[in-house]
Amino acid sequence: MAFALTALGAALAVALELLEALAIVLAVAVTRRASSAFAGAAAAVLVCVGVGVLLGPPLADKVAIQPLRLIVGIALLLFGMEWLRKGVLRLSGRRARSSSYEEFEEEREALEREEPVGEGFDWPGATVAFKGVLLEGVEVILIVAALAAQPSRRTAAYVGASVAAVAVVALGAFVHRPLRGLPETELKYVVGLMLTTFGTFFCAEGLGYEWPLGDAALLVVLGVWLAWSQALVRVVAR
């Protein structure tokens, strides 16, 4: 169960972040020069790989398990609460729904208003692609590194992240734009629930609390966060 929840949480978080990065890269590619867009994206990926190497298993192996659980729990709570906050606002109608397709169209229209591409390498287009991939990529690295910090959940986090990355790259290669009609708002809300659940679970363990049900307590914590956030949605909607 813990394996499935970890893999699913990593996969959804990575897929949604990469969809936003994909929207920016494809907008640059179709509006300006594809080679420059992909070069900027590739450079950002290399930077993200470097960050991942620094924050991955080497860091986890140097920290004792008890404080590591607390550190990971706090990190996941920070990410999860932010995703959950936005999810509550979107589901209650207080904030616009999330859509990578709309971001793709908005970015494309903005780029069309820029100066035409001249001869040589398109540095402005490459910079836009680099920034888009870097910002989303760093968040992906931090979330996956947090989920994979404990050896027992490392494989699940890497499997989920890898499957999501391959799926999003394949989508960009064959469809050439983000999927339209994808329920990103609901999916991001689910990611917020899962990250917050893991954050709560790890924080409690880091403070020395032993869950009576073991990993099965994740479902109880998830149910509590679900009930609380749904109550917030109804209150905010009023």
Side-chain angles (χ1 to χ4, degrees):
M1 180 187 60
F3 183 96
L5 287 176
T6 303
L8 181 60
L12 287 177
V14 170
L16 292 169
E17 293 290 355
L18 292 185
L19 276 175
E20 295 182 1
L22 176 67
I24 296 172
V25 174
L26 292 180
V28 175
V30 301
T31 308
R32 298 180 69 86
R33 186 166 292 156
S35 59
S36 300
F38 298 143
V45 169
L46 291 176
V47 174
C48 289
V49 169
V51 174
V53 170
L54 293 175
L55 296 178
L59 177 62
D61 293 339
K62 294 178 181 178
V63 182
I65 187 64
Q66 199 72 6
L68 177 62
R69 286 171 177 167
L70 183 58
I71 293 170
V72 169
I74 293 173
L76 290 175
L77 273 177
L78 290 175
F79 281 111
M81 291 295 289
E82 180 62 14
W83 284 57
L84 202 54
R85 180 186 70 85
K86 293 178 180 179
V88 167
L89 292 175
R90 287 168 178 148
L91 291 175
S92 63
R94 297 291 185 176
R95 183 171 179 155
R97 292 179 64 84
S98 180
S99 173
S100 293
Y101 181 83
E102 290 183 4
E103 292 179 12
F104 165 79
E105 291 294 337
E106 291 173 359
E107 190 69 37
R108 183 178 60 80
E109 292 174 2
L111 288 167
E112 286 178 344
R113 293 192 291 269
E114 298 291 334
E115 295 182 4
V117 181
E119 296 294 330
F121 189 77
D122 179 21
W123 286 105
T127 301
V128 171
F130 176 83
K131 289 181 179 179
V133 174
L134 182 63
L135 291 175
E136 304 298 341
V138 168
E139 187 166 353
V140 164
I141 294 297
L142 293 175
I143 291 174
V144 175
L147 288 173
Q150 297 197 69
S152 61
R153 292 179 171 85
R154 188 170 297 169
T155 300
Y158 289 161
V159 168
S162 299
V163 170
V166 171
V168 172
V169 171
L171 172 68
F174 291 102
V175 181
H176 303 296
R177 66 183 59 199
L179 289 178
R180 194 171 188 176
L182 188 69
E184 292 183 38
T185 294
E186 287 75 13
L187 291 175
K188 288 184 176 181
Y189 169 70
V190 170
V191 172
L193 283 173
M194 299 186 74
L195 295 182
T196 305
T197 296
F198 276 109
T200 304
F201 187 85
F202 292 154
C203 274
E205 286 190 330
L207 293 172
Y209 179 74
E210 294 185 8
W211 294 96
L213 300 176
D215 287 344
L218 284 167
L219 294 178
V220 178
V221 178
L222 178 62
V224 171
W225 279 112
L226 175 62
W228 179 80
S229 61
Q230 283 297 305
L232 273 182
V233 169
R234 289 191 288 270
V235 170
V236 174
R238 296 172 185 170

